[in-house]
């Protein structure tokens, strides 16, 4: 019998552990100098998010039994508070309420952006309008919305999803033609790279896993990388002198003001960066990575990440199950091929009860889990009522 892939609390916990370590590695990499390859970054982040969204457990997965802290923590979550409501169920309820609150908060941000679009006033300066049309034509962008000005803005930003609009602060109207061209190229490039949709997906992901603090560091890291990649795309077609001018425009705009985090997935021009992050961004613009030195390393790194992603599904972390004080192992017909509707129940007292064809047929020790046919059977957590425990 071929056992199907299934979902369990242990596979979900394993996915959280892998995601947390992967997110920490991503943030450290970005802090130490940034990612040199956008393809490598995209594959790493994409598979990392997919791993936590699909916490599956495959048959014959290798069980990593943790003997300290985790067993006591797992036993505590299965304790009953009132009737059939355990701490585990209460935590799931809190998780769900937190998701709803986070989604409402995100919806409010979307409403603010919709209201901002209605408050945009058309720019009457023909110079800026002509520059915008030239930038769109040079970048082959025909779908992007209009450009306007809005009071109270600190930096230029692109708002909207299906037909984004570029919003300019009033203080940008006195920029030179070259500075305005750099600003418009940056914002239009965000649209061509679909960065607004990427940030929206990232915000929804943060809503789902709001309780994990590392997700907010990862969100900031991804946002900074999107800005750096947009800078690189714009500077690819600029000379060295124009790249330096592009960096000077960024620094000049930064001195004019720092944007609020009111519009969560809007693409603003300068972002919210500290001094170290600004130095890193400017360095990425002036000294772009050399493609020749990493031409062979990037495909190998991508292949390694994909292999690690696949292998990660073959490992499951779960609390160690102590053997019962007096193990009772019935004579089980392990040679019988008809193990249909069969599974193992893991009880709170450490017993591993084997059910064959939906009938209880014996108790095994944890060592037997590595042997056939038990290694192929799914393991479920037995829910024992509070009254029975007493």
């Amino acid at each position: 019998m071929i056992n199907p892939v299934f979902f369990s609390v242990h596979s979900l916990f394993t996915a959280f552990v892998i995601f947390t370590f992967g997110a920490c590695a991503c943030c450290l990499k970005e802090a130490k100098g940034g990612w040199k390859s956008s393809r490598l970054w995209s594959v790493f982040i994409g598979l990392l998010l997919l791993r936590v969204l699909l916490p599956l457990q495959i048959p014959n997965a290798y069980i990593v039994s943790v003997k300290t802290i985790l067993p006591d923590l797992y036993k505590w979550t299965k304790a009953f508070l009132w009737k059939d409501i355990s701490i585990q169920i209460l935590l799931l309820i809190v998780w769900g309420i937190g998701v709803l609150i986070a989604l409402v908060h995100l919806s409010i941000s979307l409403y603010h952006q919709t209201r901002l679009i209605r408050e945009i006033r058309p720019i009457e300066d023909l110079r800026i309008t002509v520059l915008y049309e030239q930038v769109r034509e040079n970048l082959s962008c025909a779908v992007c919305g209009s450009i306007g000005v809005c009071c109270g803005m600190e930096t230029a930003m692109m708002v909207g999803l299906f037909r984004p609009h570029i919003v300019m602060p009033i203080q940008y109207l006195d920029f030179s033609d070259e500075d305005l061209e750099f600003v418009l190229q940056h914002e239009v490039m965000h649209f061509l790279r679909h960065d607004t949709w990427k940030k929206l997906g990232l915000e929804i992901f943060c809503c789902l896993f709001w309780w994990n603090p590392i997700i907010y560091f990862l969100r900031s890291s991804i946002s900074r990388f999107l800005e750096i990649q947009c800078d690189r795309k714009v500077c690819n077609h600029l000379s060295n002198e124009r790249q330096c001018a592009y960096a000077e425009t960024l620094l000049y705009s930064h001195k004019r003001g720092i944007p609020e985090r009111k519009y969560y997935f809007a693409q603003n021009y300068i972002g919210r960066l500290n001094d170290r992050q600004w130095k890193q961004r400017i360095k990425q613009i002036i000294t772009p990575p050399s493609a020749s030195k990493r031409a062979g390393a990037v495909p190998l790194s991508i292949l390694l990440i994909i292999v690690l992603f696949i292998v990660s599904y073959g490992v499951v972390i779960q609390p160690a199950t102590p053997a019962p004080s007096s193990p009772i192992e019935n004579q089980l017909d392990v040679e019988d091929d008809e193990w249909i509707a069969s599974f193992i129940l893991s009880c709170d007292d450490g017993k591993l009860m084997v059910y064959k064809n939906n009938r209880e047929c014996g108790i095994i020790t944890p060592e037997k889990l590595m042997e056939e046919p038990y290694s192929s059977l799914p393991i479920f957590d037995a829910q024992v009522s509070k009254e029975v425990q007493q």
Side-chain angles (χ1 to χ4, degrees):
M1 182 183 73
I2 300 177
N3 293 293
V5 176
F6 63 98
F7 164 83
S8 69
V9 175
H10 304 308
S11 63
L12 181 62
F13 175 77
T14 304
F16 288 153
V17 172
I18 294 175
F19 170 79
T20 301
F21 278 99
C24 290
C26 180
C27 294
L28 289 175
K29 176 66 176 176
E30 190 269 340
K32 288 187 176 181
W35 295 77
K36 305 303 181 182
S37 170
S38 60
R39 289 184 300 158
L40 181 60
W41 176 88
S42 301
V43 172
F44 184 84
I45 293 297
L47 294 182
L48 186 64
L49 300 182
L50 181 62
R51 184 63 180 86
V52 75
L53 291 175
L54 293 178
L56 303 177
Q57 182 170 334
I58 63 175
N60 302 321
Y62 180 75
I63 306 298
V64 178
S65 298
V66 180
K67 297 182 180 181
T68 58
I69 300 178
L70 189 58
D72 294 334
L73 181 63
Y74 182 68
K75 187 176 181 179
W76 174 78
T77 60
K78 298 192 70 175
F80 287 87
L81 296 175
W82 182 75
K83 291 186 178 180
D84 294 333
I85 299 180
S86 64
I87 296 179
Q88 196 173 83
I89 295 177
L90 180 62
L91 291 176
L92 290 176
I93 294 175
V94 173
W95 187 356
I97 294 175
V99 170
L100 291 178
I101 294 175
L103 289 176
V104 169
H105 196 214
L106 184 61
S107 300
I108 293 175
S109 176
L110 181 60
Y111 167 74
H112 284 316
Q113 293 195 35
T114 304
R115 190 175 65 177
L116 177 63
I117 293 175
R118 294 197 296 263
E119 296 175 355
I120 297 176
R121 302 198 313 266
I123 293 181
E124 300 178 356
D125 191 342
L126 184 62
R127 174 179 67 99
I128 299 179
T129 305
V130 172
L131 273 175
Y132 179 51
E133 294 300 328
Q134 290 178 352
V135 168
R136 288 178 55 182
E137 182 179 355
N138 294 337
L139 296 178
S140 302
C141 177
V143 186
C144 196
S146 60
I147 182 174
V149 66
C150 185
C151 299
M153 303 298 297
E154 299 294 338
T155 181
M157 65 172 57
M158 177 171 287
V159 295
L161 295 173
F162 298 99
R163 190 175 177 83
H165 301 265
I166 296 180
V167 185
M168 303 284 287
I170 296 178
Q171 57 265 32
Y172 276 33
L173 300 182
D174 59 353
F175 276 20
S176 66
D177 289 355
E178 184 180 47
D179 291 339
L180 284 173
E181 182 183 0
F182 290 148
V183 173
L184 295 174
Q185 284 180 343
H186 182 93
E187 297 304 322
V188 173
M189 187 60 68
H190 273 308
F191 171 75
L192 295 177
R193 289 172 46 83
H194 310 290
D195 287 342
T196 304
W197 286 99
K198 294 175 184 177
K199 292 193 70 173
L200 176 60
L202 180 61
E203 291 295 338
I204 295 176
F205 184 83
C206 291
C207 292
L208 295 178
F209 302 99
W210 56 268
W211 47 267
N212 191 344
I214 193 62
I215 190 65
Y216 302 103
F217 292 99
L218 182 64
R219 177 180 64 185
S220 300
S221 176
I222 292 176
S223 298
R224 290 192 295 269
F225 185 79
L226 291 178
E227 293 296 332
I228 291 175
Q229 284 301 302
C230 189
D231 294 334
R232 287 177 178 173
K233 286 293 183 180
V234 173
C235 292
N236 281 343
H237 306 287
L238 300 179
S239 62
N240 293 335
E241 293 181 357
R242 297 257 298 168
Q243 289 181 13
C244 293
Y246 179 89
E248 290 176 358
T249 302
L250 273 176
L251 293 175
Y252 179 68
S253 303
H254 172 61
K255 295 179 181 179
R256 290 295 190 99
I258 300 176
E260 304 179 46
R261 186 164 162 71
K262 184 178 181 180
Y263 309 102
Y264 280 81
F265 46 91
Q267 294 295 334
N268 56 70
Y269 179 54
I270 58 177
R272 300 175 59 87
L273 307 177
N274 56 35
D275 293 339
R276 180 189 60 82
Q277 293 163 352
W278 265 111
K279 291 179 181 179
Q280 180 179 331
R281 183 174 177 181
I282 298 301
K283 182 179 179 181
Q284 295 284 349
I285 295 173
I286 300 177
T287 57
S290 176
S292 59
K293 295 182 179 180
R294 54 182 176 84
V298 171
L300 291 177
S301 300
I302 292 176
L303 179 61
L304 178 60
I305 291 174
I306 294 176
V307 170
L308 291 176
F309 170 78
I310 297 174
V311 171
S312 69
Y313 278 100
V315 178
V316 176
I317 302 173
Q318 66 181 39
T321 305
S325 56
S326 57
I328 306 174
E329 292 194 31
N330 294 352
Q331 295 296 325
L332 303 178
D333 188 4
V334 297
E335 301 296 336
D336 189 355
D337 293 332
E338 297 183 357
W339 285 78
I340 303 175
S342 302
F343 53 91
I344 298 175
L345 281 184
S346 176
C347 303
D348 289 337
D349 57 3
K351 293 181 181 179
L352 297 174
M353 304 175 64
V354 180
Y355 284 75
K356 180 180 179 183
N357 299 329
N358 288 327
R359 292 183 179 181
E360 182 181 350
C361 59
I363 300 175
I364 62 172
T365 58
E367 290 76 14
K368 291 289 185 179
L369 290 176
M370 305 303 296
E371 302 176 4
E372 289 290 345
Y374 314 120
S375 61
S376 302
L377 299 180
I379 302 176
F380 300 100
D381 298 320
Q383 295 289 339
V384 183
S385 64
K386 190 174 182 180
E387 291 80 2
V388 173
Q389 290 180 346
Q390 294 175 349

